[in-house]
Amino acid sequence: MKMRDAGLFALVAALLVLTGMMQSWNLALQILNMGLISAIMALGVNLQWGFAGLFNVGVMGFVALGGLAVALTAMPPVGDAWRAGGLGVFSALIVAAVAITLAVVIWRKRLPARGWLVAAVLLVGFILYRELFDPARDAIEAVNPALQGNLGGLGLPVLFSWPVGGLLAAGAAWLIGKTALGLRSDYLAIATLGIAEIILAVMKNEDWLARGVKNVIGVPSPLPTAVELQENAGFAARFADPITASTIGVKLGYAVLFAVVLIALIVLMQLALKSPWGRMVRAIRDNETAAEAMGKDVTRRHLQIFILGSAICGLAGAMMTTLDGQLVPGTYQPLRFTFLIWVMVIVGGSGNNFGAVLGGMLIWFLWVQVEPVGAWLIGALTSGLPEGAFKDHLMDSAAYMRLFTMGLVMLLVLRFSPRGLIPER
Amino acid sequence: MAEPFLIGEAMTGGYGRGPDILHDCTISVDPGQIAVIVGPNGAGKSTGMKAIFGMLNLRKGRVVLDGDDITDLSPQDRVRRGMGFVPQVNNIFPSMSVEENLEMGAFIRNDDFSSTMAQVYDLFPILKDKRHQAAGELSGGQRQQVAVGRALMTQPKVLMLDEPTAGVSPIVMDELFDRIIEIARTGLPVLMVEQNARQALEIADRAYVLVQGANAHTGTGKELLADDEVRRSFLGG
Amino acid sequence: MIVVDDIHKHFGGFRAVDGASLTIREGSITGLIGPNGAGKTTLFNVIAGHLKPTSGRVTMGGEDITGLPPHELFHKGLLRTFQIAHEFHSMTVRENLMMVPGDQTGETLVNAWLKRRQIAREEEALRRKADEVLEFLTISHLADEKAGNLSGGQKKLLELGRTMMVDAKIVFLDEVGAGVNRTLLMTIADAILRLNKERGYTFVVIEHDMDFIGKLCDPVICMAEGKVLAEGTLDEIKANEQVIEAYLGTGLKNKEMANG
Amino acid sequence: MDLLNAFVALSNFVLVPALAYGAQLALGALGVTLIYGILRFSNFAHGDTMAFGTMAVVLFTWLFQSWGINLGPLPTALLALPFGIVICMGLVLLTDRYIYRFYRAQKVKPVVLVIVSMGVMFVTNGLVRFIIGPDDQRFADGERFLISARTFKEMTGLDEGLAIKTGQALTVVIAVIAVALLFWFLNRTRTGKSMRAYSDNEDLALLSGINPEKVVMVTWLIVAALATLAGTLYGLDKSFKPFTYFQLLLPFFAAAIVGGLGSPIGAIVGGFVIAFSEVLITYAWKKVLTYALPETLAPDGLAQLLSTDYKFAVSFVILLVVLLFRPTGLFKGKSV
Amino acid sequence: ESHASEVKLGVILGFTGPIESLTQAMAAGAELAMSEVTESGALLGGAKVTPVRADSTCVDAGAATAAAERLVTAEGVKGIMGADCSGVTGAVLTNVAVPNGMVMISPSATSPGLSEAEDNGLFFRTAPSDARQGVVMTEGLIGMGVKSVAVTYTNNDYGKGLADSFQQAFEAAGGEVTISAAHEDGKADYSAEVGALASAGGDLLVVAGYVDQGGAGIVRGSLDTGAFDRFHFPDGMIGAALEENFGSELDGSTGQVPGTDSPGAAKFAEVVGDKFDVSGPYTGESYDAAALILLAMQAAGSVEPGDYKSKVEMVANAPGEKIYPGELAKALELIAAGTDIDYVGATDVELIGPGEASGSFREIKFEGGKMTTTGYR
Ligand SMILES: Nc1ncnc2c1ncn2[C@@H]1O[C@H](COP(=O)(O)OP(=O)(O)OP(=O)(O)O)[C@@H](O)[C@H]1O
Ligand SMILES: Nc1ncnc2c1ncn2[C@@H]1O[C@H](COP(=O)(O)OP(=O)(O)OP(=O)(O)O)[C@@H](O)[C@H]1O
Ligand SMILES: [Mg+2]
Ligand SMILES: [Mg+2]
């Protein structure tokens, strides 16, 4: 059994090596890097679903928050914007926070007519908020709108943004967990999905925060960039082909960074899983009522796990934005950042950390490589056909082979191991 | 002696690819008879019932109903051949109403089953009160009554009951036993597993004690009741 | 020990528990009987915090525990079993038992990462304890089987086993006997008596088997239609006309009992 | 008069479109909810199944149009609909036979079926684009309007027009009929009840002599019919484009869940809740208020609660609020 | 080796995803330029140009980067025609093109932000930046006497940028924008947007979206409810689909696309014939992008991006002999002969500043269900 797991990892490694040899090492490393990030996201989802049975379909939102953290941490601050509206925006946000807290407190107090009171507090809060916020926002967005128009970030080294991404996601998860974790299965799923969409709507439309759909580009890199290496005389002199050397070097650097994070996470999660804590969590997943009767605080555990899993997704999101070098809210699509991650977890084997990691690497590899494979497939299929409109039509359709092939491969893999490639225990 | 009406003969088998649970186990029942299976927990009583009903792959042995070898039939086909079964657990449709549960029991019948339903309600009056309530909201004992009622609705040629009296109150249990005797008198063979073994053996024409998947004692109910060892080990002294 | 004061529990318009009041004496083994649907399980669920009562109060040792969640009641020493077995199906039988004790060091995440040694020690002790319980329940051979694969009766035993993993003050047993072999049930009865005598556990037992009730319980409370119908020793209860009519009946079983 | 104008404006821009959109969502959500209720998984391929069925309808419509067959004022697509449904049924039965059945036999967890359905989604997705391409296709013909804004104005002499499209009217009528039929089928007929029994307790259904394969087949057939119907009606009202159909999945699920998974009525109500919340919350009341209020009180701004950017966010907020108060939806749905 | 016998060019566009329905024609445009060059046999002594397509997905930066990585490092392309959407374009540029020193010409990324990206002179675009169009559009509308408009834009950097720049210009010119509302592409229903737009009112509706995306949905809804019967369409909305879908319903509406009174666009249509639909957005730009890469190669006498990147602006801009679509063979020969050329192409390419198209625009009016050109600006 263990042999088989190792074999599967070897298979993924072999696929990457094959890519390196048949196509290029740059491509192989690029796939590896995103694969590592995907594996981390899959770990987060696996923690929530595989271990605790929490159906989180809002992964995208947490990943996006991780990305936002990068923009808010690593980008240089925009001084003019801060002067124009920093104070206004923050006092508005504080007003909003106070109003909401007050409303919650009143609600909890069970006063008579609390509904009206809460509504009144929220209404006054909202009006006050808009009064403070709108002019401040307009002022900020007016500062050099083509390139900035936002507050910018803290100008810290970009690696700081990774834990910040985790924290930001954790904070959001706390809020969500407090309200929505009472929901079961698919109801929780659609709630988280909705919240992810809300997070994204905010990121797309609040330009003062991180430029909204106008995107943040030029995120600083934690490693020297390939271009810097190429311009470095010493480096250029040492290698015959400085371009390849530099691009591969940078990717290796990222690979090491990502691998360190991934391994640390796996170790922590394996330790937790094999401990009484893990046993308790599995018991809760199996039967909440009984676990509750056996003295386990189900709500707290759920909250804890939801926060941790989401934080891991946020961390991965920050890592990904760092790797991309830009924050583009439009990129965050549920298909890619929620459902694909789910495919990774299930195909890999939910409830098993190694399964999730394997799934992350393998599915990402396929996601990228089914395109040439699909095109090749079409080429092979049509090679026997006579030239003509039909063949042209098929050749033009080659692009759609990408998703088609992806679906086919998924179905095949699941056919042979319906419980995932490395099932739970 | 002619072959019994229903017989699971020399059955050996287990769940999926797991180890054998049944070992060369034989259980049979004839029209008009009540056959009772008793034995410790985990002996394989339920497994034996499921094997007869085709919910388990037998590795050895065969099942014969009314002279036909039905070893390879699916459970559904066995239902159509007139076998009725009340499993030990998960034996109701929780989100359907009591009445719909009973209707489902009569699913394979094409005739008018309202008189059977009236009989069931007579037998279990509480169900009549709750006929429109979802079965999943019933108390444990009420569910058990629904389960038995559902099987009766089939008007089977042979009735198999896995612990029908678990969790039902004494008064209902007595009624149930009375009713089972009545059913058997009409010529319908009844095969049941019971932990309320003493009462069950009282009325059993044929009784089996299963231990670890094998026949340990066989005889009439009275014989086994009289057997000291059986009393001590399985009937609670 | 536990005082139930005029508890009502309504589902929609239906009154499952309809003004039940009763007292459970410390150190007693109280039997709770009544026809199917009398509201016994519902009352358990209210006391043990799984359901919020529509109205009424439950106190434990003078402290109001109405509406407290089950996990808090567990830590106050109140345990329960389920009528329909609630095993942790994908875990082994032994794990099912080992997860029970509260305040395990390894149940905090940080400890799970840092205090490996202490956890290992605790686990060893727990494992021994679990094996003892399994031995007692005659299912040692199933220790490593997945609980979901147990037979109906074995699951009930596991339910009971869980309550034996910790030192409880009061244990609510909801039909542990249904589906359990009678010989074993008598052994269980002995164990309950022993726990009651030696460790001072209080028990509340729902059961339809009069032998079992007779062997253990004093007093016996009979519920019907959500209310307490009668209370007293088993003999008193058996003699109660209302109880006979609603619950015991005059059938074969009681005839036999009367004889035997 | 002004009040009348206000009401007409509101109907034209809010009530009528939301009603039609709600009915479209409802029909889609019905399919989703049925699969969830009976086969117990969330079917991600539903949007693409819909695209596939509609594609068949479009192709048949073109064929009929080329033969010169039409239905006069009604869209030709109605004639093509039965053919499209049959083809879509073929597709779902094939996928069930060769894909889902295997996993059913294995008794896998529902989430695995969800992922499998995503595989099916990708494959169907590719198929549709192979056959008809990713582009917008128009296939509506016949009278576009029951009553157009201009005609309405001329008829009534009001300043505001009210447009009712044939497609909208058809959608609402058909949605009502479909739900009534489905409800009757599930709760009154033998097959319908056996489907519910199967979803409740598969093993016991077997013991009652219910043929599971038949239940599954009937479910898929109904789903295929509903999907094609929903897709065609949507396409007639707007247009047919595979990507949009895939994107419809999200509001479908939202509708099915708000209503309570597994509940047909829930799906309908959910569809309207989602549709109306999307349209109402971001509506700029300026026009209506200007008519309805005396001149002095008329608003300067747009009188818009939130900008349309937050349309989806808002409808999800409403969904959340509903779920917080009714954790399994408005009509007590199932949860596996 | 400068006289390569085969030159591969990458065509990286979103063949799947939100703009999948635009990209086939765009790719066909680019590939047309390539086959034209191949057939001429004039590129660097008869090199054959092979397109290699890759899917940018339009939205998934990770997949796009990997696809570009494959083109550059595995397929060995010598230049990239693409990418399409600004987000993935930025990712491909910084993560693949710049590190590998690869020239990249995008036919459709219009975000002003990209002008500021570190590109080492490798990045160009043939679509004009949004800022310019906003001004042109304002001039046109004010010229027609339009005083107040409602605006809706597709919620991405293109739409938002265009809407913002237009609003700024239009208000500066004394016009009123009654509402500027975003719409998301690919959604099911646009009643809410139409309702809000109608309520705000205005002489006409400016739709800064895509012709086969949300833009079409908005127009459909507005026409059906009678909210607007006059529209103004920027480049993303101009396409045959508009005529096909709405026909004479749009009579009186106006719009503009990049283009000049130069005969480029017409010639392009002629060259294409019925091979694919030329009127979709960015097909001409795609043709031009591919052509520019190839002409620059010829000018540099090398297929290596490092060599020819500096030639792109040279072949694109005046002075020199004007080159129209279908004349690539002639252009290659002229360059080989040492004559300077000024590539006009389908969209009157003129690169200004850091690799950007200057953009002149063709104004359009709908009459009798057809788009007619009314002038140039
Ligand atoms: N969730 C529920 N919704 C509606 N009715 C319920 C619900 N739970 C229980 N009931 C009803 O409450 C009544 C009491 O049920 P309860 O389970 O307490 O009975 P019980 O006394 O434990 O019976 P038994 O001996 O059969 O276990 C029953 O009639 C049952 O139908
Ligand atoms: N689904 C299953 N998979 C694997 N093993 C099982 C399964 N169900 C039961 N077993 C095992 O088979 C053995 C016999 O179980 P069975 O249910 O037949 O016992 P039983 O005699 O009915 O006991 P009880 O009186 O407790 O109901 C038990 O040891 C049990 O652990
Ligand atoms: Mg059993
Ligand atoms: Mg009970």
Side-chain angles (χ1 to χ4, degrees), chain A residues 112-131:
Chain A
R114 59 180 176 167
W116 292 108
L117 265 175
V118 166
V121 166
L122 287 180
L123 189 70
V124 171
F126 183 71
I127 292 172
L128 211 62
Y129 163 82
R130 289 294 293 262
E131 286 298 312

PDB file of all heavy atoms in Angstrom, chain A residues 112-131:
ATOM      1  N   PRO A 112     -36.716  44.469  24.215  1.00  0.00           N
ATOM      2  CA  PRO A 112     -37.961  44.538  23.442  1.00  0.00           C
ATOM      3  C   PRO A 112     -37.724  45.415  22.211  1.00  0.00           C
ATOM      4  O   PRO A 112     -36.921  46.348  22.254  1.00  0.00           O
ATOM      5  CB  PRO A 112     -38.948  45.192  24.419  1.00  0.00           C
ATOM      6  CG  PRO A 112     -38.093  45.866  25.439  1.00  0.00           C
ATOM      7  CD  PRO A 112     -36.831  45.072  25.539  1.00  0.00           C
ATOM      8  N   ALA A 113     -38.404  45.092  21.152  1.00  0.00           N
ATOM      9  CA  ALA A 113     -38.299  45.867  19.905  1.00  0.00           C
ATOM     10  C   ALA A 113     -36.862  45.964  19.425  1.00  0.00           C
ATOM     11  O   ALA A 113     -36.471  46.945  18.822  1.00  0.00           O
ATOM     12  CB  ALA A 113     -38.900  47.268  20.081  1.00  0.00           C
ATOM     13  N   ARG A 114     -36.104  44.932  19.707  1.00  0.00           N
ATOM     14  CA  ARG A 114     -34.692  45.028  19.327  1.00  0.00           C
ATOM     15  C   ARG A 114     -34.528  45.134  17.819  1.00  0.00           C
ATOM     16  O   ARG A 114     -33.605  45.743  17.312  1.00  0.00           O
ATOM     17  CB  ARG A 114     -33.915  43.832  19.867  1.00  0.00           C
ATOM     18  CG  ARG A 114     -34.465  42.508  19.356  1.00  0.00           C
ATOM     19  CD  ARG A 114     -33.674  41.348  19.900  1.00  0.00           C
ATOM     20  NE  ARG A 114     -34.303  40.105  19.468  1.00  0.00           N
ATOM     21  CZ  ARG A 114     -33.754  38.924  19.552  1.00  0.00           C
ATOM     22  NH1 ARG A 114     -32.552  38.818  20.084  1.00  0.00           N
ATOM     23  NH2 ARG A 114     -34.363  37.845  19.132  1.00  0.00           N
ATOM     24  N   GLY A 115     -35.480  44.520  17.084  1.00  0.00           N
ATOM     25  CA  GLY A 115     -35.392  44.570  15.633  1.00  0.00           C
ATOM     26  C   GLY A 115     -35.338  45.994  15.130  1.00  0.00           C
ATOM     27  O   GLY A 115     -34.470  46.366  14.347  1.00  0.00           O
ATOM     28  N   TRP A 116     -36.250  46.838  15.645  1.00  0.00           N
ATOM     29  CA  TRP A 116     -36.282  48.225  15.206  1.00  0.00           C
ATOM     30  C   TRP A 116     -35.016  48.963  15.622  1.00  0.00           C
ATOM     31  O   TRP A 116     -34.457  49.738  14.856  1.00  0.00           O
ATOM     32  CB  TRP A 116     -37.499  48.936  15.790  1.00  0.00           C
ATOM     33  CG  TRP A 116     -38.774  48.411  15.198  1.00  0.00           C
ATOM     34  CD1 TRP A 116     -39.696  47.629  15.806  1.00  0.00           C
ATOM     35  CD2 TRP A 116     -39.212  48.594  13.844  1.00  0.00           C
ATOM     36  NE1 TRP A 116     -40.703  47.320  14.920  1.00  0.00           N
ATOM     37  CE2 TRP A 116     -40.430  47.896  13.713  1.00  0.00           C
ATOM     38  CE3 TRP A 116     -38.694  49.281  12.754  1.00  0.00           C
ATOM     39  CZ2 TRP A 116     -41.142  47.866  12.516  1.00  0.00           C
ATOM     40  CZ3 TRP A 116     -39.412  49.254  11.567  1.00  0.00           C
ATOM     41  CH2 TRP A 116     -40.612  48.560  11.451  1.00  0.00           C
ATOM     42  N   LEU A 117     -34.596  48.692  16.869  1.00  0.00           N
ATOM     43  CA  LEU A 117     -33.383  49.344  17.357  1.00  0.00           C
ATOM     44  C   LEU A 117     -32.201  49.038  16.460  1.00  0.00           C
ATOM     45  O   LEU A 117     -31.454  49.917  16.039  1.00  0.00           O
ATOM     46  CB  LEU A 117     -33.085  48.859  18.777  1.00  0.00           C
ATOM     47  CG  LEU A 117     -33.616  49.742  19.896  1.00  0.00           C
ATOM     48  CD1 LEU A 117     -33.366  49.099  21.238  1.00  0.00           C
ATOM     49  CD2 LEU A 117     -32.942  51.109  19.811  1.00  0.00           C
ATOM     50  N   VAL A 118     -32.051  47.738  16.171  1.00  0.00           N
ATOM     51  CA  VAL A 118     -30.930  47.322  15.338  1.00  0.00           C
ATOM     52  C   VAL A 118     -31.010  47.996  13.978  1.00  0.00           C
ATOM     53  O   VAL A 118     -30.024  48.535  13.471  1.00  0.00           O
ATOM     54  CB  VAL A 118     -30.939  45.781  15.194  1.00  0.00           C
ATOM     55  CG1 VAL A 118     -30.011  45.358  14.064  1.00  0.00           C
ATOM     56  CG2 VAL A 118     -30.510  45.126  16.487  1.00  0.00           C
ATOM     57  N   ALA A 119     -32.210  48.005  13.417  1.00  0.00           N
ATOM     58  CA  ALA A 119     -32.375  48.618  12.112  1.00  0.00           C
ATOM     59  C   ALA A 119     -31.993  50.097  12.175  1.00  0.00           C
ATOM     60  O   ALA A 119     -31.291  50.610  11.306  1.00  0.00           O
ATOM     61  CB  ALA A 119     -33.814  48.457  11.646  1.00  0.00           C
ATOM     62  N   ALA A 120     -32.428  50.753  13.233  1.00  0.00           N
ATOM     63  CA  ALA A 120     -32.126  52.178  13.365  1.00  0.00           C
ATOM     64  C   ALA A 120     -30.618  52.394  13.465  1.00  0.00           C
ATOM     65  O   ALA A 120     -30.041  53.247  12.781  1.00  0.00           O
ATOM     66  CB  ALA A 120     -32.831  52.745  14.599  1.00  0.00           C
ATOM     67  N   VAL A 121     -29.980  51.604  14.320  1.00  0.00           N
ATOM     68  CA  VAL A 121     -28.533  51.754  14.486  1.00  0.00           C
ATOM     69  C   VAL A 121     -27.827  51.547  13.152  1.00  0.00           C
ATOM     70  O   VAL A 121     -26.957  52.319  12.752  1.00  0.00           O
ATOM     71  CB  VAL A 121     -28.011  50.732  15.524  1.00  0.00           C
ATOM     72  CG1 VAL A 121     -26.492  50.641  15.460  1.00  0.00           C
ATOM     73  CG2 VAL A 121     -28.466  51.119  16.908  1.00  0.00           C
ATOM     74  N   LEU A 122     -28.243  50.500  12.439  1.00  0.00           N
ATOM     75  CA  LEU A 122     -27.584  50.198  11.168  1.00  0.00           C
ATOM     76  C   LEU A 122     -27.825  51.313  10.161  1.00  0.00           C
ATOM     77  O   LEU A 122     -26.914  51.701   9.426  1.00  0.00           O
ATOM     78  CB  LEU A 122     -28.090  48.864  10.620  1.00  0.00           C
ATOM     79  CG  LEU A 122     -27.568  47.643  11.381  1.00  0.00           C
ATOM     80  CD1 LEU A 122     -28.114  46.359  10.778  1.00  0.00           C
ATOM     81  CD2 LEU A 122     -26.043  47.596  11.385  1.00  0.00           C
ATOM     82  N   LEU A 123     -29.023  51.840  10.160  1.00  0.00           N
ATOM     83  CA  LEU A 123     -29.335  52.883   9.196  1.00  0.00           C
ATOM     84  C   LEU A 123     -28.504  54.133   9.464  1.00  0.00           C
ATOM     85  O   LEU A 123     -27.851  54.668   8.560  1.00  0.00           O
ATOM     86  CB  LEU A 123     -30.832  53.218   9.263  1.00  0.00           C
ATOM     87  CG  LEU A 123     -31.299  54.131   8.149  1.00  0.00           C
ATOM     88  CD1 LEU A 123     -31.281  53.374   6.830  1.00  0.00           C
ATOM     89  CD2 LEU A 123     -32.681  54.692   8.427  1.00  0.00           C
ATOM     90  N   VAL A 124     -28.500  54.552  10.722  1.00  0.00           N
ATOM     91  CA  VAL A 124     -27.706  55.734  11.070  1.00  0.00           C
ATOM     92  C   VAL A 124     -26.243  55.485  10.743  1.00  0.00           C
ATOM     93  O   VAL A 124     -25.556  56.323  10.153  1.00  0.00           O
ATOM     94  CB  VAL A 124     -27.876  56.062  12.569  1.00  0.00           C
ATOM     95  CG1 VAL A 124     -26.887  57.146  12.980  1.00  0.00           C
ATOM     96  CG2 VAL A 124     -29.302  56.494  12.847  1.00  0.00           C
ATOM     97  N   GLY A 125     -25.775  54.291  11.130  1.00  0.00           N
ATOM     98  CA  GLY A 125     -24.392  53.932  10.843  1.00  0.00           C
ATOM     99  C   GLY A 125     -24.104  54.023   9.369  1.00  0.00           C
ATOM    100  O   GLY A 125     -23.092  54.579   8.940  1.00  0.00           O
ATOM    101  N   PHE A 126     -25.031  53.508   8.556  1.00  0.00           N
ATOM    102  CA  PHE A 126     -24.819  53.475   7.117  1.00  0.00           C
ATOM    103  C   PHE A 126     -24.733  54.880   6.542  1.00  0.00           C
ATOM    104  O   PHE A 126     -23.843  55.194   5.749  1.00  0.00           O
ATOM    105  CB  PHE A 126     -25.962  52.692   6.463  1.00  0.00           C
ATOM    106  CG  PHE A 126     -25.818  52.527   4.980  1.00  0.00           C
ATOM    107  CD1 PHE A 126     -24.842  51.678   4.468  1.00  0.00           C
ATOM    108  CD2 PHE A 126     -26.638  53.211   4.109  1.00  0.00           C
ATOM    109  CE1 PHE A 126     -24.696  51.525   3.094  1.00  0.00           C
ATOM    110  CE2 PHE A 126     -26.493  53.062   2.742  1.00  0.00           C
ATOM    111  CZ  PHE A 126     -25.522  52.214   2.224  1.00  0.00           C
ATOM    112  N   ILE A 127     -25.647  55.722   7.000  1.00  0.00           N
ATOM    113  CA  ILE A 127     -25.647  57.087   6.469  1.00  0.00           C
ATOM    114  C   ILE A 127     -24.347  57.805   6.839  1.00  0.00           C
ATOM    115  O   ILE A 127     -23.670  58.405   6.005  1.00  0.00           O
ATOM    116  CB  ILE A 127     -26.872  57.861   6.991  1.00  0.00           C
ATOM    117  CG1 ILE A 127     -28.138  57.262   6.375  1.00  0.00           C
ATOM    118  CG2 ILE A 127     -26.754  59.342   6.666  1.00  0.00           C
ATOM    119  CD1 ILE A 127     -29.417  57.807   6.941  1.00  0.00           C
ATOM    120  N   LEU A 128     -23.966  57.655   8.106  1.00  0.00           N
ATOM    121  CA  LEU A 128     -22.739  58.290   8.580  1.00  0.00           C
ATOM    122  C   LEU A 128     -21.542  57.782   7.783  1.00  0.00           C
ATOM    123  O   LEU A 128     -20.669  58.540   7.352  1.00  0.00           O
ATOM    124  CB  LEU A 128     -22.562  57.950  10.066  1.00  0.00           C
ATOM    125  CG  LEU A 128     -21.869  59.007  10.909  1.00  0.00           C
ATOM    126  CD1 LEU A 128     -22.690  60.281  10.914  1.00  0.00           C
ATOM    127  CD2 LEU A 128     -21.669  58.492  12.328  1.00  0.00           C
ATOM    128  N   TYR A 129     -21.566  56.470   7.578  1.00  0.00           N
ATOM    129  CA  TYR A 129     -20.477  55.827   6.858  1.00  0.00           C
ATOM    130  C   TYR A 129     -20.362  56.394   5.449  1.00  0.00           C
ATOM    131  O   TYR A 129     -19.291  56.802   5.002  1.00  0.00           O
ATOM    132  CB  TYR A 129     -20.734  54.318   6.841  1.00  0.00           C
ATOM    133  CG  TYR A 129     -19.951  53.536   5.838  1.00  0.00           C
ATOM    134  CD1 TYR A 129     -18.639  53.143   6.113  1.00  0.00           C
ATOM    135  CD2 TYR A 129     -20.515  53.158   4.622  1.00  0.00           C
ATOM    136  CE1 TYR A 129     -17.920  52.410   5.194  1.00  0.00           C
ATOM    137  CE2 TYR A 129     -19.803  52.430   3.702  1.00  0.00           C
ATOM    138  CZ  TYR A 129     -18.513  52.059   3.981  1.00  0.00           C
ATOM    139  OH  TYR A 129     -17.804  51.343   3.071  1.00  0.00           O
ATOM    140  N   ARG A 130     -21.517  56.480   4.776  1.00  0.00           N
ATOM    141  CA  ARG A 130     -21.471  56.981   3.403  1.00  0.00           C
ATOM    142  C   ARG A 130     -20.997  58.432   3.387  1.00  0.00           C
ATOM    143  O   ARG A 130     -20.242  58.843   2.501  1.00  0.00           O
ATOM    144  CB  ARG A 130     -22.845  56.870   2.745  1.00  0.00           C
ATOM    145  CG  ARG A 130     -23.273  55.449   2.433  1.00  0.00           C
ATOM    146  CD  ARG A 130     -22.408  54.805   1.380  1.00  0.00           C
ATOM    147  NE  ARG A 130     -22.550  55.410   0.071  1.00  0.00           N
ATOM    148  CZ  ARG A 130     -23.331  54.915  -0.896  1.00  0.00           C
ATOM    149  NH1 ARG A 130     -24.039  53.834  -0.682  1.00  0.00           N
ATOM    150  NH2 ARG A 130     -23.406  55.517  -2.065  1.00  0.00           N
ATOM    151  N   GLU A 131     -21.425  59.218   4.377  1.00  0.00           N
ATOM    152  CA  GLU A 131     -21.023  60.619   4.436  1.00  0.00           C
ATOM    153  C   GLU A 131     -19.514  60.756   4.530  1.00  0.00           C
ATOM    154  O   GLU A 131     -18.899  61.595   3.893  1.00  0.00           O
ATOM    155  CB  GLU A 131     -21.679  61.312   5.651  1.00  0.00           C
ATOM    156  CG  GLU A 131     -23.151  61.588   5.483  1.00  0.00           C
ATOM    157  CD  GLU A 131     -23.415  62.533   4.320  1.00  0.00           C
ATOM    158  OE1 GLU A 131     -22.734  63.576   4.232  1.00  0.00           O
ATOM    159  OE2 GLU A 131     -24.292  62.216   3.488  1.00  0.00           O
TER     160      GLU A 131
END
